[in-house]
Each structure stands twice: as structure tokens, then as C-alpha cells.
Amino acid sequence: MRSDNAKSGMQQAPARSLFRALGYTEEELARPLIGVVSSYNEIVPGHMNLDKVVEAVKQGVAMAGGTPIVFPAIAVCDGIAMGHIGMKYSLVTRDLIADSTECMALAHQFDGLVMVPNCDKNVPGLLMAAARLNIPTVFVSGGPMLAGRVKGEKKSLSSMFEAVGAYAAGTMTEEEVEDFADRVCPTCGSCSGMYTANSMNCLTEVLGMGLKGNGTIPAVYSERIRLAKHAGMAVMEMVEKNICPKDIMTEAAFRNALTMDMALGCSTNSMLHLPAIAHEAGVELNVDIANEISAKTPNLCHLAPAGPTYMEDLNEAGGVYAVMNEISKLGLLNLDCITVTGKTVGENIKGCENRNPEVIRTVENPYSATGGIAVLRGNLAPDSCVVKRSAVVPEMLQHEGPARVFDSEEDAIAAIKGGRIVAGDVVVIRYEGPKGGPGMREMLNPTSAIAGMGLGASVALITDGRFSGASRGASIGHVCPEAAAGGPIGLVQEGDIISIDINANTINMKVSDEELAKRRENWVPKKKEASGYLKRYAAQVTSADKGAVLKGN
């Protein structure tokens, strides 16, 4: 056992004395030591139930003959961090989580790990750590929140942000907004639409790193506790068989994940996280293959914010495995990939029926013949940008309009709420990328303000920052190169005509090469002041199309 390095032999007698100080018996130390990475805290609604999940994992490990040992991982609530300096500290935690988990796991020589994450950067950060460490690992999330209900209709966090925009437009009262605030987030769990947290928890199932139901069983269901116990048992079987993350997270598994990303209509943040996780697994995942996969993968799900269904509905319809089984009819999945169950993808999804074709469309009746995410290129984004195509209304799939240029999220929000953005405009928010932000803030506030003010079907938003999975509309992010790195988005001027064709995967400003060269002659990218971790992050981070991984990792 790997843990023998820390507990066996005369050399490790001092370590045994410290284990005894912790209360461990000889019988417990004779068993495999399983690290249980707990993301529990009291600030993230998706994490407030993780103490219960962790206790269930510990029981499962112990029942299967292991000794569970809990240590922590941090997590940021993107919703609470949104719209102020706090959002600069969201994406950057992904690397802190991976690094700190690596430190704890290797310092104490665990034989296996059970990761217990739930929210946006916490899930990919721990997947990155799992790939890097490559010791037997199972994931079990805290599960999604139930949808709220306002006046008899299901609602979620995206509705809340749009309500603020509606208030600014004068179409909702303060009392109505507060009624939303009371009702849209009724339970613990990751917010109830196909936002980033739920996208990544579902894709963890697809990758083979989580058990069936990991992404969809609601946080408040007792079934989630049973799942956690089974996860604890599963890691012991993996330790016995020496099944490790790099055996599971292969190139074929990542192609499966991208395929299901398209079918499910996941958050555009997945296009940041999947390449970063793949990088740690030694797999090169170029964002360009997204369009290749999207071209042949139908979009089968329209969960909020793209449509009126929620994670609880997907769970009742059969969950991720049912969507995989549906997509497998087209021969688009590699069914031979091994998973944490010790079985293949094909064995796992066999017989998982689609119980509600209104929630999970059949391959014969998709929402669209192509996938939920598109990667665009052009003179505005030579290295790529991304859009959640499934959340764009048909009339905005092609759009041309004048640029309204802002060098920060705050300036853009003031203009939107101040009524200075009109139908046809293209809002450009720059210097919000990984390096320029620094931290690559999510732009849920401006996209929600646009939707709330009734401009969602007539105004596009382009940024070198990123979007929450709760954003909808023609929200085009991850523009690369970013402005701070000398990208052409930094050369856009007020009134330039921007042409977007999502179906053709293009995005261009109608400015000649000669004019752009002239603008570039005396242009120096702006640099925002940063200190502490953000300063170090800005110096080390790569571009969004590379997953915003840190140099040297």
C-alpha cells in the first residue's frame, strides 16, 4: 500500500505515534487510508450539505474495509461573488484547489481519494488534482438544488438576476424582486439549471469519474446519501484493482465528454475546464474539435437558462446515463472506456431508458441537429471564442451591429441599466480575461441586465471574460487573444460594425487590415493593478483557449 510509506516500518514509528494521537487504532492503520476531500463550508449553498455527504462516504469506505480520513478543499460561491471584486477570485481558486489537494494527498500518502465537491471551480479543480495525482479516485458531488417556484412557475438563479434587470427597466417592482429572492433558491445544492456546477458534475459522470446520478440526484434526496456510501465502497474496489484516473480520463473519454457537452447544452465554462483537466491527464484537447463534434451531435436538452426544465426534471427523465444511451444510438460515444465502476461506459448505460422525451429529446427529434456550444473565429478572435448556441434565440444566430465598447464590467452594467444600450448594439467588454482581469470574471450581471431589460433578442455581448452557465442570449466569451495580451478586441472602437454568424462559426469587425495595423502602431494594452495571489496568477496564467492553465503546470 502507498500509505505504508507513512505508517509502516521502524522508520515510521514517529508517524505512528502521531496517528495514535489522532485516535487511530492498529486495525485502522492496517487498512488502506482513503482521503475524503471535503469541500464543506457555510458560505456556498451547494456545499452546506456536504458534511452529510462526507459522513456517508466515510461509512461506505469503512464498510468496504478502508480507513477514511477527511481533509478540506476551498470553494467560492460564484453567485455571491458576482458583480464585484470577489468574482476575480473565482476561476483562480481552481488552481489553488488542485495544488492544495496534491499537497495533502502526497504529503500523507493516501491509497485512494473520494472527492466531494459541488460548485463551479471546485469540481474542475478536484478533477485536475485527480488527474495529476493519478491514484484511485471517485467523485460524489453534493447534488443540485430543487427549482424554486414563483406564482406557480419553476424558477432558478438566472431568473433572479434577470429580475434585477427587469427592475432597472421598470417592469418589476422592488417587492416583486424580493419575492423572487425569497423563492428561487429554495434548498441547498448547486443552482438548479444547467449552469457550470451542474455541467461539470454531469460531465464527471460522462468522463467515468463519478457514479450514476452524480450530476442529477437532488441535494435534498436521501438517494444522494446512498450514492455517497456507494462512492466510498467504489474507491475501495478501485484500490484493490489499481484503477487510476489516467486509466479513465483518456482522449476517448474527453471526446465523450465534449459530445455530451453538446447534447446536454452545458455551460461555456466547460470549454475552459475540460482542456485544463485534459492537460493534467496528459491529453491535448484543442477547442477546435468542439465544432467538429458539434456538427454531428444533436442538442437534446434545454435546461434552464435555455429552456423551462431543471436538473430535477433531468434526473426524473433518467439522468445523464439516459442522455448518453440516447446519443449512443448514433454511434457518437466510445463505449469501451473504463469507469470508476470497473465497468465500461457501454455496460454502465445499457438499459438506461429515456423516461421523458420532453426533457430529453430523442435523436430523431432534437432541439437542433448540432450541439449546444460553438467555437467562433475571425479578426476579432483569431484564436477563438465560445458561445452557448443552445441558449441563443434563432434571430440572434446571425447579427450585425455597432460596437459599444467598455473596458470593465462595471462600466458596461452602468450603460445597460442607464438605458444607453439599444436594440441592434453589440456590447464589447474587454480587459476582463485571465490575465487582464485578472481572474476572468463571469459576466452574468450584464447578460442578465440585457435580458431583463427586454434586449435579449436584439443585443449581443462579446468579452474576453467569461459567462456563468446561467447566462443566455448571444453571449460570446473567452475571446482570444485577450485585450491585455494584445488581442484585436483591444483595438475595437465605438461604432465599429461587428458581424456575428454563429452557424458559420465566424466573428469579425468590419475594419480593414490596414486600419487595424494603423490602430496597433501606438496602442499599448491597459494593465490593471493587482496584488497578492491575483498578481502572481496574472503573471502565470495562459490564454482561455488553452484552458487558462498556469505556466509550468
Side-chain angles (χ1 to χ4, degrees):
M1 290 188 292
R2 183 180 289 101
S3 60
D4 286 341
N5 295 329
K7 66 186 183 184
S8 298
M10 184 54 63
Q11 181 70 25
Q12 292 308 114
R16 288 196 295 279
S17 72
L18 294 170
F19 275 113
R20 286 166 183 161
L22 288 162
Y24 289 107
T25 65
E26 289 183 19
E27 291 81 2
E28 287 173 302
L29 293 181
R31 298 175 174 184
L33 302 186
I34 306 299
V36 181
V37 187
S38 171
S39 303
Y40 169 77
N41 61 51
E42 295 182 341
I43 189 64
V44 184
H47 290 220
M48 63 181 286
N49 65 320
L50 295 191
D51 54 342
K52 308 294 188 300
V53 176
V54 165
E55 283 303 313
V57 168
K58 289 172 66 178
Q59 289 180 48
V61 170
M63 283 190 289
T67 298
I69 302 175
V70 178
F71 65 89
I74 64 169
V76 164
C77 177
D78 280 23
I80 293 174
M82 195 75 67
H84 54 87
I85 192 174
M87 182 44 68
K88 292 178 183 283
Y89 288 90
S90 173
L91 178 61
V92 304
T93 63
R94 190 184 68 179
D95 296 275
L96 281 175
I97 291 161
D99 291 349
S100 61
T101 303
E102 174 193 355
C103 291
M104 288 294 287
L106 292 183
H108 302 103
Q109 292 291 286
F110 290 108
D111 297 298
L113 297 170
V114 181
M115 307 291 199
V116 189
N118 210 25
C119 288
D120 291 23
K121 311 310 165 299
N122 187 242
V123 180
L126 289 177
L127 281 165
M128 289 166 68
R132 189 186 302 174
L133 289 163
N134 201 35
I135 62 176
T137 302
V138 176
F139 277 69
V140 56
S141 77
M145 185 183 290
L146 295 178
R149 288 186 181 272
V150 180
K151 296 179 180 177
E153 294 184 358
K154 286 186 177 181
K155 298 290 182 181
S156 63
L157 186 65
S158 54
S159 307
M160 187 70 252
F161 278 90
E162 290 176 15
V164 174
Y167 173 76
T171 57
M172 283 186 75
T173 66
E174 183 176 352
E175 289 75 17
E176 288 173 321
V177 172
E178 286 304 316
D179 186 50
F180 265 64
D182 281 341
R183 299 176 187 277
V184 297
C185 296
T187 71
C188 62
S190 49
C191 297
S192 56
M194 188 55 83
Y195 311 144
T196 305
N198 292 326
S199 294
M200 294 310 301
N201 281 324
C202 287
L203 294 180
T204 298
E205 273 191 69
V206 179
L207 280 170
M209 291 297 294
L211 300 175
K212 180 185 178 184
N214 177 70
T216 60
I217 298 170
V220 293
Y221 284 14
S222 297
E223 187 182 357
R224 173 68 48 182
I225 299 301
R226 298 198 298 273
L227 180 73
K229 291 175 183 176
H230 283 128
M233 297 177 201
V235 77
M236 294 305 299
E237 186 173 345
M238 291 179 72
V239 169
E240 182 182 343
K241 295 179 178 178
N242 196 31
I243 300 173
C244 296
K246 286 185 180 178
D247 301 323
I248 296 169
M249 290 193 281
T250 61
E251 183 177 353
F254 280 105
R255 288 188 72 94
N256 282 351
L258 275 175
T259 299
M260 291 305 300
D261 195 336
M262 301 302 169
L264 288 163
C266 292
S267 163
T268 52
N269 280 316
S270 62
M271 299 305 293
L272 270 179
H273 300 321
L274 286 176
I277 299 159
H279 179 76
E280 294 288 356
V283 174
E284 190 64 34
L285 194 65
N286 191 313
V287 295
D288 284 335
I289 69 169
N291 286 340
E292 169 208 328
I293 290 173
S294 179
K296 55 189 178 185
T297 306
N299 177 227
L300 304 185
C301 298
H302 263 196
L303 282 80
T309 53
Y310 295 82
M311 295 305 296
E312 62 201 68
D313 302 312
L314 178 59
N315 187 64
E316 290 167 12
V320 173
Y321 277 17
V323 187
M324 293 177 75
N325 198 32
E326 193 69 43
I327 285 292
S328 72
K329 295 174 184 176
L330 300 176
L332 297 179
L333 295 179
N334 186 316
L335 302 181
D336 296 326
C337 295
I338 196 70
T339 71
V340 293
T341 64
K343 298 177 181 178
T344 64
V345 168
E347 290 172 315
N348 286 343
I349 67 174
K350 186 177 181 180
C352 293
E353 63 177 301
N354 177 359
R355 296 195 289 265
N356 188 341
E358 294 301 312
V359 176
I360 304 171
R361 291 278 186 96
T362 64
V363 292
E364 295 82 16
N365 180 39
Y367 282 101
S368 63
T370 54
I373 290 177
V375 175
L376 316 183
R377 287 181 186 270
N379 68 356
L380 185 58
D383 290 345
S384 75
C385 57
V386 300
V387 61
K388 187 172 181 176
R389 176 166 41 198
S390 60
V392 180
V393 293
E395 55 265 40
M396 288 299 289
L397 291 171
Q398 289 180 302
H399 182 75
E400 194 170 285
R404 305 299 308 279
V405 184
F406 305 94
D407 288 346
S408 73
E409 177 190 4
E410 288 83 357
D411 290 346
I413 291 172
I416 296 164
K417 291 186 176 178
R420 288 181 278 140
I421 303 300
V422 299
D425 284 348
V426 178
V427 176
V428 177
I429 306 176
R430 60 196 181 189
Y431 296 104
E432 291 287 6
K435 186 180 295 292
M440 202 178 187
R441 289 193 286 181
E442 287 184 344
M443 301 290 146
L444 179 56
N445 273 338
T447 59
S448 298
I450 287 170
M453 296 192 71
L455 298 171
S458 59
V459 169
L461 193 153
I462 300 169
T463 181
D464 53 9
R466 60 193 179 87
F467 295 107
S468 163
S471 292
R472 62 186 176 99
S475 304
I476 300 166
H478 308 193
V479 170
C480 295
E482 61 176 293
I489 190 174
L491 302 176
V492 181
Q493 294 182 0
E494 187 81 7
D496 284 348
I497 300 301
I498 307 294
S499 177
I500 302 162
D501 190 333
I502 294 173
N503 288 331
N505 304 114
T506 61
I507 182 167
N508 290 288
M509 48 179 157
K510 291 193 166 182
V511 178
S512 69
D513 292 344
E514 293 76 17
E515 172 62 20
L516 289 176
K518 184 178 177 182
R519 291 181 188 181
R520 190 175 287 280
E521 283 177 6
N522 300 312
W523 174 62
V524 177
K526 294 182 179 181
K527 186 176 181 180
K528 295 180 182 177
E529 291 299 317
S531 60
Y533 181 54
L534 287 182
K535 184 175 182 179
R536 283 183 280 133
Y537 183 86
Q540 292 182 291
V541 73
T542 61
S543 63
D545 63 313
K546 301 293 188 296
V549 298
L550 299 186
K551 294 172 186 174
N553 276 0

